[in-house]
Amino acid sequence: MAFDSTAHYVATDALKQAVNAAILLERPLLIKGEPGTGKTLLAEELATSLDTQLVTWHVKSTTKAAQGLYEYDAVSRLRDSQLGIDGVENVANYIKPGKLWEAFSAEKRVVLLIDEIDKADIEFPNDLLQELDRMEFYVYETDQTVRARHRPIIIITSNNEKELPDAFLRRCFFHYIAFPDRDTLQAIIDVHYPGLAPRLVNAALEIFFDLREAPGLKKKPSTSELIDWLKLLLADELAQETLHSPEPNEALPPLAGALIKNEQDTHLLERLAFMLRRQGR
């Protein structure tokens, strides 16, 4: 059941080893990396390659660990009791299973994605330790224990917005997705746009890496943004001509809004271009 690159996802050897090691150890795989480097897509492609279901738990700043287990709607039950609705005596009617419950009760082994875990409160990871270790949890309202029928493959992503607790990290297999080098980016482009003219790809990659290396840039363009930019270039012949024959007075590449996402970086690049012109470059 070894994971490999797919028709839509280019995985480095290090990433393949990390995925397969986590599966072998039956540990959650904690994935970090720049936004746009394919952390979430990894879980999607892993589920596809294993021909199984993907259960996705998108974590927000307000998300609590207990919501991944289940939620008891006491308010609805009280309202229904006041209205005399049938079934109110059965508390199970007011229990909403969470994503862990869904993954635990699946008929076959699934991939469970806990996406952007660092968005939640610092205690969120610790509150899941026992459930992820034992693969079970207790439902107090119905006096039942929910156990995993098949241990899910767990992928946890983080954008490093906050540090995760040591006790949680100890239970994970960790991998950092480094930003792709030029050859890997070329392979990623080939997956999305096979047969793309080498002249266009080379020109786009030159500009892309120049932008990423610009000193002081607040947000460097990501892999996913490069793919979006290429899609726009393919649909705009005038932009392609500008790309191949750049004017020295142009501070930004054509359709730069796909790559540059804030006004600070726009102004920075304009200033850098102005300074280069003054130096006679």
Side-chain angles (χ1 to χ4, degrees):
M1 198 172 61
F3 174 67
D4 203 342
S5 295
T6 69
H8 306 287
Y9 191 86
V10 176
T12 63
D13 290 340
L15 180 56
K16 297 174 192 175
Q17 292 172 358
V19 172
N20 294 323
I23 294 174
L24 181 63
L25 292 173
E26 296 187 331
R27 297 278 190 181
L29 175 61
L30 174 61
I31 295 287
K32 291 187 179 183
E34 288 184 29
T37 51
K39 301 185 294 298
T40 301
L41 186 59
L42 168 65
E44 298 171 1
E45 291 300 317
L46 176 59
T48 299
S49 68
L50 300 179
D51 190 25
T52 191
Q53 178 188 357
L54 173 67
V55 177
T56 303
W57 185 8
H58 293 294
V59 177
K60 303 177 182 179
S61 59
T62 56
T63 303
K64 302 299 181 184
Q67 293 173 311
L69 310 181
Y70 67 93
E71 293 184 83
Y72 169 50
D73 193 349
V75 174
S76 292
R77 190 183 186 198
L78 175 61
R79 181 199 60 214
D80 290 350
S81 67
Q82 293 171 339
L83 296 174
I85 294 177
D86 292 338
V88 71
E89 69 282 353
N90 185 358
V91 67
N93 292 334
Y94 300 91
I95 298 291
K96 179 182 178 181
K99 294 299 183 179
L100 261 69
W101 191 330
E102 181 182 346
F104 286 3
S105 60
E107 294 184 359
K108 60 183 291 188
R109 192 180 200 186
V110 302
V111 175
L112 171 62
L113 169 63
I114 304 178
D115 201 24
E116 298 188 332
I117 194 172
D118 53 321
K119 281 187 175 180
D121 183 84
I122 189 63
E123 292 303 321
F124 179 91
N126 280 337
D127 291 342
L128 290 175
L129 290 181
Q130 179 171 309
E131 288 75 17
L132 295 182
D133 266 351
R134 299 183 180 181
M135 286 287 127
E136 65 178 36
F137 59 88
Y138 183 69
V139 183
Y140 293 92
E141 290 80 3
T142 58
D143 189 27
Q144 70 177 116
T145 298
V146 177
R147 293 186 177 89
R149 299 175 64 180
H150 307 279
R151 177 181 285 268
I153 300 170
I154 302 174
I155 306 293
I156 302 173
T157 70
S158 169
N159 286 325
N160 243 356
E161 291 185 10
K162 62 172 67 77
E163 291 296 325
L164 300 175
D166 288 345
F168 178 79
L169 294 174
R170 183 168 57 83
R171 289 166 168 81
C172 298
F173 189 94
F174 171 76
H175 180 74
Y176 182 85
I177 299 182
F179 192 81
D181 58 21
R182 191 183 181 102
D183 290 340
T184 305
L185 271 182
Q186 177 72 64
I188 293 171
I189 292 171
D190 291 342
V191 163
H192 288 273
Y193 304 111
L196 195 61
R199 181 167 176 255
L200 175 59
V201 174
N202 290 335
L205 285 177
E206 287 293 335
I207 291 176
F208 179 75
F209 279 109
D210 283 346
L211 288 176
R212 283 189 56 87
E213 293 169 5
L217 206 65
K218 185 176 181 181
K219 184 197 176 300
K220 297 180 179 181
S222 68
T223 307
S224 62
E225 290 161 343
L226 170 63
I227 299 302
D228 288 345
W229 186 45
L230 284 170
K231 182 177 182 179
L232 293 175
L233 290 174
L234 284 171
D236 192 329
E237 293 185 2
L238 181 60
Q240 291 183 44
E241 292 177 8
T242 305
L243 192 71
H244 293 313
S245 304
E247 295 292 335
N249 292 329
E250 291 292 331
L252 298 176
L255 302 167
L259 300 173
I260 307 302
K261 298 301 178 73
N262 60 69
E263 65 276 14
Q264 295 96 323
D265 287 345
T266 299
H267 296 329
L268 171 66
L269 292 171
E270 289 172 345
R271 289 197 301 271
L272 289 174
F274 175 74
M275 291 172 62
L276 289 174
R277 289 196 298 270
R278 289 194 63 181
Q279 294 171 6
R281 293 183 58 182

